[in-house]
Coordinates of all heavy atoms in Angstrom, one line a residue:
T189 N 122.6 132.1 63.7 CA 122.5 133.5 63.6 C 121.1 134.0 63.8 O 120.2 133.3 63.4 CB 123.1 134.0 62.3 OG1 122.3 133.5 61.3 CG2 124.5 133.7 62.1
Y190 N 120.9 135.1 64.4 CA 119.5 135.6 64.6 C 119.0 136.3 63.3 O 117.8 136.2 63.1 CB 119.5 136.6 65.7 CG 119.8 136.0 67.1 CD1 121.0 136.2 67.7 CD2 118.9 135.1 67.7 CE1 121.3 135.6 68.9 CE2 119.2 134.5 68.9 CZ 120.4 134.8 69.5 OH 120.6 134.2 70.7
F191 N 119.8 137.0 62.6 CA 119.4 137.7 61.4 C 119.9 137.1 60.2 O 121.1 136.8 60.1 CB 119.8 139.2 61.5 CG 119.4 139.8 62.8 CD1 120.4 140.3 63.6 CD2 118.1 140.0 63.1 CE1 120.0 141.0 64.8 CE2 117.7 140.6 64.3 CZ 118.7 141.1 65.2
K192 N 119.1 136.9 59.2 CA 119.5 136.4 57.9 C 119.8 137.6 57.0 O 118.9 138.2 56.4 CB 118.3 135.6 57.2 CG 117.9 134.4 58.1 CD 118.7 133.2 57.7 CE 118.1 132.0 58.4 NZ 119.1 131.1 58.9
L193 N 121.1 138.0 57.0 CA 121.5 139.2 56.2 C 121.8 138.7 54.8 O 122.3 137.6 54.5 CB 122.7 139.8 56.8 CG 122.6 140.4 58.2 CD1 123.9 140.9 58.6 CD2 121.5 141.4 58.3
S194 N 121.4 139.5 53.8 CA 121.7 139.2 52.4 C 123.2 139.5 52.1 O 123.9 140.1 52.9 CB 120.8 140.1 51.5 OG 121.3 141.5 51.6
S195 N 123.6 139.0 51.0 CA 125.0 139.2 50.6 C 125.3 140.7 50.5 O 126.4 141.2 50.9 CB 125.3 138.5 49.3 OG 125.1 137.2 49.4
Q196 N 124.4 141.5 50.0 CA 124.6 142.9 49.8 C 124.7 143.6 51.2 O 125.5 144.5 51.4 CB 123.4 143.5 49.0 CG 123.4 143.2 47.6 CD 122.2 143.8 46.9 OE1 121.1 143.9 47.4 NE2 122.4 144.2 45.6
E197 N 123.8 143.2 52.1 CA 123.9 143.8 53.5 C 125.3 143.5 54.1 O 125.9 144.3 54.7 CB 122.8 143.3 54.3 CG 121.4 143.8 53.9 CD 120.3 143.1 54.6 OE1 120.4 141.9 55.0 OE2 119.2 143.8 54.8
W198 N 125.7 142.2 54.0 CA 127.0 141.9 54.5 C 128.1 142.7 53.9 O 129.0 143.2 54.6 CB 127.3 140.4 54.3 CG 126.8 139.5 55.4 CD1 125.8 138.6 55.3 CD2 127.3 139.4 56.7 NE1 125.6 138.0 56.5 CE2 126.5 138.5 57.4 CE3 128.2 140.1 57.4 CZ2 126.6 138.2 58.7 CZ3 128.4 139.8 58.8 CH2 127.6 138.8 59.4
M199 N 128.1 142.9 52.6 CA 129.1 143.7 51.9 C 129.1 145.1 52.4 O 130.2 145.7 52.6 CB 128.9 143.6 50.4 CG 129.3 142.2 49.8 SD 129.3 142.2 48.0 CE 127.9 143.1 47.5
I200 N 128.0 145.7 52.5 CA 127.9 147.0 53.0 C 128.4 147.2 54.4 O 129.2 148.1 54.7 CB 126.4 147.5 52.9 CG1 126.0 147.7 51.4 CG2 126.2 148.9 53.6 CD1 124.5 147.9 51.2
L201 N 128.0 146.2 55.3 CA 128.5 146.3 56.7 C 130.0 146.1 56.7 O 130.7 146.9 57.5 CB 127.8 145.2 57.5 CG 126.4 145.4 57.8 CD1 125.8 144.1 58.5 CD2 126.2 146.6 58.7
I202 N 130.6 145.2 55.9 CA 132.0 145.0 55.9 C 132.7 146.3 55.4 O 133.7 146.7 56.0 CB 132.4 143.8 55.1 CG1 131.9 142.5 55.8 CG2 133.9 143.7 54.8 CD1 132.0 141.3 55.0
M203 N 132.2 146.9 54.3 CA 132.8 148.1 53.8 C 132.7 149.3 54.8 O 133.7 150.0 54.9 CB 132.1 148.5 52.5 CG 132.5 147.6 51.4 SD 131.9 147.9 49.7 CE 130.8 149.2 49.9
V204 N 131.6 149.4 55.5 CA 131.5 150.5 56.4 C 132.4 150.3 57.6 O 133.1 151.3 58.1 CB 130.0 150.6 56.9 CG1 129.8 151.5 58.1 CG2 129.1 151.1 55.7
V205 N 132.5 149.1 58.1 CA 133.4 148.9 59.3 C 134.8 149.1 58.8 O 135.6 149.7 59.5 CB 133.2 147.4 59.8 CG1 134.3 147.0 60.8 CG2 131.8 147.3 60.5
A206 N 135.2 148.6 57.6 CA 136.5 148.8 57.1 C 136.8 150.3 56.9 O 137.9 150.8 57.2 CB 136.7 148.1 55.8
M207 N 135.8 151.1 56.5 CA 136.0 152.5 56.3 C 136.4 153.2 57.6 O 137.3 154.0 57.7 CB 134.8 153.2 55.7 CG 134.8 154.7 55.6 SD 133.2 155.4 55.1 CE 132.2 155.0 56.5
V208 N 135.7 152.8 58.7 CA 135.9 153.4 60.0 C 137.3 153.0 60.5 O 138.1 153.9 61.0 CB 134.8 153.0 61.0 CG1 135.2 153.5 62.4 CG2 133.5 153.6 60.6
L209 N 137.7 151.8 60.4 CA 139.0 151.3 60.8 C 140.1 151.9 60.0 O 141.1 152.3 60.6 CB 139.0 149.8 60.8 CG 138.1 149.0 61.7 CD1 138.2 147.5 61.5 CD2 138.5 149.4 63.2
I210 N 139.9 152.0 58.7 CA 141.0 152.6 57.9 C 141.2 154.1 58.2 O 142.3 154.6 58.4 CB 140.6 152.5 56.4 CG1 140.8 151.0 56.0 CG2 141.5 153.4 55.5 CD1 140.2 150.7 54.6
L211 N 140.1 154.8 58.4 CA 140.2 156.2 58.8 C 140.8 156.4 60.2 O 141.6 157.3 60.4 CB 138.8 156.9 58.8 CG 138.4 157.3 57.4 CD1 136.9 157.8 57.4 CD2 139.3 158.4 56.8
E212 N 140.5 155.5 61.1 CA 141.2 155.5 62.4 C 142.7 155.3 62.3 O 143.5 155.9 63.0 CB 140.5 154.5 63.3 CG 141.1 154.5 64.7 CD 140.9 155.9 65.4 OE1 139.8 156.5 65.3 OE2 141.9 156.3 66.1
L213 N 143.1 154.3 61.4 CA 144.5 154.1 61.2 C 145.2 155.3 60.6 O 146.3 155.7 61.0 CB 144.7 152.9 60.3 CG 144.4 151.5 61.0 CD1 144.4 150.4 60.0 CD2 145.4 151.2 62.1
I214 N 144.5 155.9 59.6 CA 145.1 157.1 59.0 C 145.2 158.3 60.0 O 146.2 159.0 60.1 CB 144.2 157.6 57.8 CG1 144.4 156.5 56.7 CG2 144.6 159.0 57.3 CD1 143.4 156.7 55.5
N215 N 144.2 158.4 60.9 CA 144.2 159.4 61.9 C 145.4 159.2 62.9 O 146.1 160.1 63.2 CB 142.9 159.4 62.7 CG 142.8 160.4 63.8 OD1 143.2 161.5 63.7 ND2 142.3 159.9 65.0
T216 N 145.6 158.0 63.3 CA 146.7 157.6 64.2 C 148.0 157.9 63.5 O 148.9 158.5 64.2 CB 146.6 156.2 64.6 OG1 145.3 156.0 65.2 CG2 147.7 155.8 65.6
A217 N 148.2 157.5 62.3 CA 149.4 157.8 61.6 C 149.7 159.3 61.4 O 150.9 159.7 61.6 CB 149.4 157.1 60.2
I218 N 148.7 160.1 61.1 CA 148.9 161.5 61.0 C 149.2 162.1 62.4 O 150.1 163.0 62.4 CB 147.6 162.2 60.4 CG1 147.5 161.8 58.9 CG2 147.7 163.7 60.6 CD1 146.2 162.2 58.3
E219 N 148.6 161.6 63.4 CA 148.9 162.2 64.8 C 150.4 161.8 65.1 O 151.1 162.7 65.7 CB 148.0 161.6 65.8 CG 146.6 162.3 65.7 CD 145.7 162.0 66.9 OE1 146.2 161.3 67.9 OE2 144.6 162.4 66.9
Y220 N 150.8 160.6 64.9 CA 152.2 160.2 65.2 C 153.2 161.1 64.4 O 154.2 161.5 64.9 CB 152.4 158.8 64.9 CG 151.9 157.9 66.0 CD1 151.4 156.6 65.7 CD2 151.8 158.2 67.4 CE1 150.9 155.7 66.7 CE2 151.3 157.4 68.3 CZ 150.9 156.2 68.0 OH 150.4 155.3 69.0
L221 N 152.9 161.3 63.1 CA 153.7 162.1 62.2 C 153.8 163.5 62.7 O 154.9 164.1 62.8 CB 153.2 162.0 60.8 CG 154.0 162.8 59.7 CD1 155.4 162.2 59.6 CD2 153.3 162.8 58.4
L222 N 152.7 164.1 63.0 CA 152.7 165.4 63.5 C 153.5 165.6 64.9 O 154.2 166.6 65.1 CB 151.3 166.0 63.7 CG 150.5 166.2 62.4 CD1 149.1 166.6 62.7 CD2 151.2 167.3 61.5
D223 N 153.3 164.6 65.7 CA 154.1 164.6 67.0 C 155.6 164.5 66.7 O 156.4 165.1 67.5 CB 153.6 163.5 67.9 CG 152.2 163.7 68.4 OD1 151.7 164.8 68.4 OD2 151.6 162.7 68.9
L224 N 155.9 163.8 65.7 CA 157.3 163.6 65.4 C 157.9 164.9 64.8 O 159.0 165.3 65.1 CB 157.5 162.5 64.4 CG 158.9 162.1 63.9 CD1 159.8 161.6 65.1 CD2 158.9 161.1 62.8
L225 N 157.1 165.5 63.9 CA 157.6 166.7 63.2 C 157.5 168.0 64.0 O 158.3 168.9 63.9 CB 156.8 166.9 61.9 CG 156.9 165.9 60.8 CD1 156.0 166.2 59.7 CD2 158.4 165.8 60.3
K226 N 156.5 168.0 64.9 CA 156.3 169.2 65.7 C 156.0 168.8 67.1 O 154.8 168.7 67.6 CB 155.1 169.9 65.1 CG 155.1 171.4 65.3 CD 156.1 172.1 64.5 CE 155.8 173.6 64.5 NZ 156.9 174.4 64.3
P227 N 157.0 168.4 67.9 CA 156.8 167.9 69.3 C 156.1 168.9 70.2 O 155.3 168.4 71.0 CB 158.2 167.7 69.8 CG 159.2 167.8 68.6 CD 158.4 168.5 67.6
R228 N 156.3 170.2 70.0 CA 155.6 171.1 70.8 C 154.2 171.4 70.1 O 154.1 171.4 68.9 CB 156.3 172.4 70.9 CG 157.6 172.3 71.7 CD 158.2 173.6 71.9 NE 159.5 173.4 72.7 CZ 160.2 174.4 73.0 NH1 159.9 175.7 72.6 NH2 161.3 174.2 73.7
L229 N 153.2 171.6 70.9 CA 151.9 171.9 70.4 C 151.9 173.2 69.6 O 152.3 174.2 70.1 CB 150.9 171.9 71.5 CG 150.6 170.5 72.1 CD1 149.5 170.7 73.2 CD2 150.1 169.5 71.1
H230 N 151.4 173.1 68.4 CA 151.3 174.3 67.6 C 149.8 174.4 67.2 O 149.1 173.4 67.0 CB 152.2 174.1 66.3 CG 152.2 175.4 65.5 ND1 151.3 175.6 64.5 CD2 153.1 176.4 65.5 CE1 151.7 176.8 64.0 NE2 152.7 177.3 64.5
H231 N 149.3 175.6 67.0 CA 147.9 175.8 66.7 C 147.5 175.0 65.4 O 146.4 174.3 65.4 CB 147.6 177.3 66.5 CG 146.2 177.6 66.1 ND1 145.2 177.3 67.0 CD2 145.7 178.0 65.0 CE1 144.0 177.7 66.4 NE2 144.3 178.1 65.2
H232 N 148.3 175.0 64.4 CA 148.0 174.3 63.2 C 148.0 172.8 63.4 O 147.1 172.0 62.8 CB 148.9 174.6 62.0 CG 148.8 176.1 61.6 ND1 147.7 176.6 61.1 CD2 149.7 177.1 61.7 CE1 147.9 177.9 60.8 NE2 149.1 178.2 61.2
V233 N 148.8 172.3 64.2 CA 148.9 170.8 64.5 C 147.6 170.4 65.2 O 147.0 169.4 64.9 CB 150.1 170.5 65.4 CG1 150.0 169.1 65.9 CG2 151.4 170.7 64.6
L234 N 147.1 171.2 66.1 CA 145.9 170.9 66.8 C 144.7 170.9 65.9 O 143.8 170.1 65.9 CB 145.6 172.0 67.9 CG 146.6 171.9 69.1 CD1 146.3 173.0 70.1 CD2 146.6 170.6 69.8
L235 N 144.7 171.9 64.9 CA 143.6 171.9 63.9 C 143.6 170.7 63.0 O 142.6 170.1 62.7 CB 143.7 173.2 63.0 CG 143.4 174.5 63.7 CD1 143.7 175.7 62.8 CD2 142.0 174.5 64.2
I236 N 144.8 170.2 62.6 CA 144.9 169.0 61.8 C 144.4 167.8 62.6 O 143.7 167.0 62.0 CB 146.3 168.9 61.3 CG1 146.7 170.0 60.3 CG2 146.5 167.5 60.6 CD1 148.2 170.1 60.0
K237 N 144.9 167.7 63.8 CA 144.4 166.6 64.6 C 142.9 166.6 64.8 O 142.3 165.5 64.8 CB 145.2 166.6 66.0 CG 146.6 166.2 65.9 CD 147.2 166.1 67.2 CE 148.6 165.6 67.2 NZ 149.2 165.4 68.5
D238 N 142.4 167.7 65.1 CA 140.9 167.8 65.2 C 140.2 167.4 63.9 O 139.1 166.8 64.0 CB 140.5 169.2 65.6 CG 140.8 169.6 67.1 OD1 141.2 168.6 67.9 OD2 140.8 170.8 67.4
A239 N 140.7 167.9 62.8 CA 140.1 167.6 61.5 C 140.1 166.1 61.2 O 139.1 165.5 60.8 CB 140.7 168.3 60.4
T240 N 141.2 165.4 61.5 CA 141.3 164.0 61.2 C 140.4 163.2 62.2 O 139.8 162.2 61.9 CB 142.7 163.5 61.3 OG1 143.3 163.8 62.5 CG2 143.6 164.1 60.2
A241 N 140.4 163.7 63.5 CA 139.5 163.0 64.4 C 138.0 163.2 64.0 O 137.2 162.3 64.2 CB 139.7 163.6 65.8
G242 N 137.7 164.4 63.5 CA 136.4 164.7 63.0 C 136.0 163.7 61.9 O 134.8 163.3 61.8
A243 N 136.9 163.4 61.0 CA 136.7 162.5 59.9 C 136.3 161.1 60.4 O 135.4 160.5 59.9 CB 137.9 162.4 59.0
V244 N 137.0 160.7 61.5 CA 136.7 159.4 62.1 C 135.3 159.4 62.7 O 134.5 158.5 62.6 CB 137.8 159.0 63.1 CG1 137.4 157.7 63.9 CG2 139.1 158.9 62.5
L245 N 135.0 160.5 63.4 CA 133.7 160.7 64.0 C 132.6 160.6 63.0 O 131.6 159.9 63.2 CB 133.6 162.0 64.8 CG 132.3 162.3 65.5 CD1 131.9 161.2 66.5 CD2 132.3 163.7 66.1
V246 N 132.7 161.4 61.9 CA 131.7 161.4 60.9 C 131.5 160.0 60.3 O 130.4 159.5 60.0 CB 132.0 162.4 59.8 CG1 131.2 162.3 58.6 CG2 131.9 163.8 60.3
S247 N 132.6 159.3 60.0 CA 132.5 157.9 59.5 C 131.8 157.0 60.4 O 131.1 156.1 60.0 CB 133.9 157.4 59.0 OG 134.7 157.1 60.2
A248 N 132.1 157.1 61.7 CA 131.5 156.3 62.7 C 130.0 156.6 62.8 O 129.2 155.7 62.9 CB 132.1 156.5 64.1
L249 N 129.6 157.8 62.7 CA 128.2 158.2 62.7 C 127.5 157.7 61.5 O 126.3 157.2 61.5 CB 128.0 159.7 62.8 CG 128.4 160.3 64.2 CD1 128.3 161.8 64.1 CD2 127.5 159.8 65.3
A250 N 128.2 157.7 60.3 CA 127.6 157.2 59.1 C 127.4 155.7 59.2 O 126.4 155.1 58.8 CB 128.5 157.5 57.9
A251 N 128.4 155.0 59.9 CA 128.3 153.6 60.1 C 127.1 153.2 61.0 O 126.4 152.2 60.8 CB 129.6 153.0 60.7
L252 N 126.9 154.1 62.0 CA 125.7 153.9 62.9 C 124.4 154.0 62.1 O 123.5 153.1 62.3 CB 125.8 154.9 64.0 CG 124.6 154.9 65.0 CD1 124.6 153.6 65.8 CD2 124.7 156.1 65.9
V253 N 124.3 155.0 61.3 CA 123.1 155.2 60.5 C 122.9 154.0 59.5 O 121.8 153.5 59.4 CB 123.1 156.5 59.7 CG1 122.0 156.6 58.7 CG2 123.1 157.7 60.7
I254 N 123.9 153.6 58.8 CA 123.8 152.5 57.9 C 123.5 151.2 58.6 O 122.6 150.5 58.2 CB 125.1 152.4 57.1 CG1 125.2 153.6 56.1 CG2 125.2 151.1 56.3 CD1 126.6 153.7 55.5
G255 N 124.1 151.0 59.7 CA 123.8 149.8 60.5 C 122.4 149.8 61.0 O 121.7 148.7 61.0
T256 N 121.9 150.9 61.4 CA 120.5 151.0 61.8 C 119.5 150.8 60.7 O 118.5 150.0 60.8 CB 120.2 152.4 62.4 OG1 121.1 152.7 63.5 CG2 118.8 152.6 62.9
I257 N 119.8 151.3 59.5 CA 119.0 151.1 58.3 C 119.0 149.6 58.0 O 117.9 149.0 57.6 CB 119.5 151.9 57.1 CG1 119.2 153.4 57.4 CG2 118.9 151.4 55.8 CD1 119.9 154.3 56.4
I258 N 120.1 148.9 58.1 CA 120.2 147.5 57.7 C 119.5 146.6 58.8 O 118.8 145.7 58.5 CB 121.7 147.1 57.5 CG1 122.2 147.7 56.2 CG2 121.8 145.5 57.5 CD1 123.7 147.4 56.0
F259 N 119.8 146.9 60.1 CA 119.3 146.0 61.1 C 117.9 146.3 61.6 O 117.3 145.4 62.2 CB 120.3 146.0 62.3 CG 121.5 145.2 62.1 CD1 122.7 145.8 61.9 CD2 121.5 143.8 62.1 CE1 123.9 145.1 61.7 CE2 122.6 143.1 61.8 CZ 123.8 143.7 61.6
L260 N 117.4 147.5 61.5 CA 116.1 147.8 62.0 C 115.0 146.9 61.5 O 114.2 146.3 62.3 CB 115.7 149.3 61.8 CG 114.6 149.8 62.6 CD1 114.8 149.7 64.1 CD2 114.3 151.3 62.2
P261 N 114.9 146.6 60.2 CA 113.8 145.7 59.8 C 114.0 144.3 60.3 O 113.0 143.6 60.6 CB 114.0 145.6 58.2 CG 114.8 146.9 57.9 CD 115.6 147.2 59.1
H262 N 115.3 143.8 60.5 CA 115.5 142.5 61.1 C 115.1 142.5 62.6 O 114.6 141.4 63.0 CB 117.0 142.1 60.9 CG 117.4 142.0 59.5 ND1 117.0 140.9 58.7 CD2 118.2 142.8 58.7 CE1 117.5 141.0 57.5 NE2 118.2 142.2 57.5
F263 N 115.3 143.6 63.3 CA 114.9 143.6 64.7 C 113.4 143.5 64.8 O 112.8 142.9 65.6 CB 115.4 144.9 65.4 CG 116.8 144.8 65.9 CD1 117.7 145.8 65.5 CD2 117.2 143.8 66.7 CE1 119.0 145.7 65.9 CE2 118.5 143.8 67.2 CZ 119.4 144.7 66.8
R264 N 112.7 144.3 63.9 CA 111.3 144.3 63.9 C 110.7 142.9 63.6 O 109.8 142.4 64.3 CB 110.7 145.2 62.8 CG 110.8 146.7 63.2 CD 110.0 147.5 62.3 NE 110.6 148.8 62.3 CZ 110.8 149.6 61.2 NH1 110.4 149.1 60.0 NH2 111.3 150.7 61.2
D265 N 111.3 142.2 62.6 CA 110.9 140.8 62.3 C 111.2 139.9 63.5 O 110.4 139.0 63.8 CB 111.6 140.3 61.0 CG 111.1 141.0 59.8 OD1 110.0 141.7 59.9 OD2 111.8 141.0 58.8
F266 N 112.3 140.1 64.1 CA 112.7 139.2 65.3 C 111.7 139.4 66.4 O 111.4 138.4 67.1 CB 114.1 139.6 65.7 CG 114.6 138.7 66.8 CD1 115.0 137.4 66.6 CD2 114.8 139.3 68.1 CE1 115.5 136.6 67.6 CE2 115.3 138.5 69.1 CZ 115.6 137.2 68.9
L267 N 111.3 140.6 66.7 CA 110.4 140.8 67.8 C 108.9 140.4 67.6 O 108.2 140.4 68.5 CB 110.5 142.3 68.2 CG 111.9 142.8 68.7 CD1 111.8 144.3 69.0 CD2 112.2 142.0 70.0
K268 N 108.6 140.2 66.4 CA 107.2 139.8 66.1 C 106.9 138.4 66.5 O 107.7 137.5 66.6 CB 106.9 139.9 64.6 CG 106.7 141.3 64.1 CD 106.4 141.4 62.7 CE 106.3 142.8 62.2 NZ 105.9 142.9 60.8

């Protein structure tokens, strides 16, 4: 491995990745449920789908920031 990550860093990375994947699964389940309950597009259905997709986006951006905070010092050390 190139980077020696601490146990805490590994735990944080695993939790953040799991958070994004879990939210994506919840988003998919909600979309399928809404498509089943309301096959025709309804304004409220679109808002709910947008909100759940937004939650996934926010979690992915948070994961990017956390990953950058964790890996940036290791990249600096690696390049020296």
Side-chain angles (χ1 to χ4, degrees):
T189 62
Y190 293 109
F191 306 120
K192 302 270 188 219
L193 298 178
S194 70
S195 297
Q196 288 177 327
E197 290 171 329
W198 273 111
M199 288 188 320
I200 291 169
L201 287 173
I202 290 168
M203 287 183 352
V204 168
V205 169
M207 174 186 65
V208 173
L209 293 175
I210 289 167
L211 282 173
E212 184 58 45
L213 289 170
I214 291 170
N215 177 44
T216 302
I218 289 173
E219 286 192 3
Y220 284 148
L221 180 64
L222 291 173
D223 289 341
L224 181 67
L225 296 176
K226 208 73 163 152
R228 292 187 182 180
L229 289 180
H230 188 273
H231 178 66
H232 295 297
V233 170
L234 295 177
L235 291 176
I236 294 168
K237 286 183 176 187
D238 287 346
T240 56
V244 174
L245 176 64
V246 169
S247 71
L249 291 174
L252 176 66
V253 170
I254 292 169
T256 302
I257 291 169
I258 289 174
F259 282 108
L260 193 59
H262 296 287
F263 278 124
R264 283 192 209 140
D265 292 342
F266 181 72
L267 295 176
K268 283 184 182 179

